[in-house]
């Protein structure tokens, strides 16, 4: 897994020269407060530059968001999707947050107001800022995104619709 803001021309050239087939890029969130809560950073300018370099080399990659992180709301996830789609990602995916034993978020779940299944699959069921209903709505976004990438021709249509109707990608 790479962090796209760390990608530079030299790194992308190395990936290309090595005939890299696939790169996973864990974005997790684009929300500053959420990133701070999970001890992550994101320089959007550097991130966008790294993604452009990957696109120029035609290296396949997947951007990965996580749904129920601290501070996330349905609208924050939609905003993240709208921004990430402007980068023309090869693939975009929303992961369900799972609080598996041993991770820090699970240890902090009570303080952070995160409710989750205590048995496998350990899925988060709600947070201080996301109800069960909102998580279900995010699940519908996840299904729509899977459809877009499964039906390759619809990917291009999505950009035409967005521009022609002047709507957000997430809508």
């Amino acid at each position: 897994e790479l962090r796209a803001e760390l990608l530079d021309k030299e790194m992308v050239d190395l990936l290309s020269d090595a005939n890299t087939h696939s790169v996973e890029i864990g974005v997790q969130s684009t929300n500053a407060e959420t990133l701070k809560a999970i001890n992550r950073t994101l320089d959007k300018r550097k991130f966008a530059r790294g993604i452009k370099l990957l696109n120029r080399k035609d290296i396949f990659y997947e951007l990965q968001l996580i749904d129920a992180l601290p501070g996330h709301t349905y609208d924050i996830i939609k905003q993240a999707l709208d921004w990430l789609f402007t980068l023309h990602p090869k693939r975009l995916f929303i992961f369900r947050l799972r609080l598996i034993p041993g991770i820090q978020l699970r240890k902090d779940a009570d303080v952070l107001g995160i409710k989750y299944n205590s048995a496998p699959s350990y899925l988060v069921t709600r947070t201080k800022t996301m109800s069960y209903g909102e998580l279900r709505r995010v699940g519908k976004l996840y299904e729509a995104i899977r459809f877009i990438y499964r039906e390759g021709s619809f990917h291009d249509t999505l950009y035409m619709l967005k521009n022609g109707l002047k709507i957000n990608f997430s809508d």
Side-chain angles (χ1 to χ4, degrees), residues 105-116:
L105 273 178
R106 183 175 172 132
K107 295 173 187 173
D108 298 338
D110 288 338
V111 172
L112 294 170
I114 300 173
K115 304 297 180 197
Y116 62 95

Side-chain angles (χ1 to χ4, degrees), residues 4-17:
E5 66 262 35
L6 302 178
L7 288 172
D8 58 13
K9 185 177 180 337
E10 183 179 349
M11 170 80 77
V12 171
D13 286 344
L14 286 171
L15 290 169
S16 179
D17 292 346

Side-chain angles (χ1 to χ4, degrees), residues 60-64 88-93 146 149 155:
F60 182 83
Y61 61 90
E62 176 180 276
L63 300 180
Q64 303 168 343
H88 297 269
K90 301 289 184 184
R91 186 169 177 194
L92 183 57
F93 193 81
R146 280 188 54 214
Y149 287 106
H155 183 265

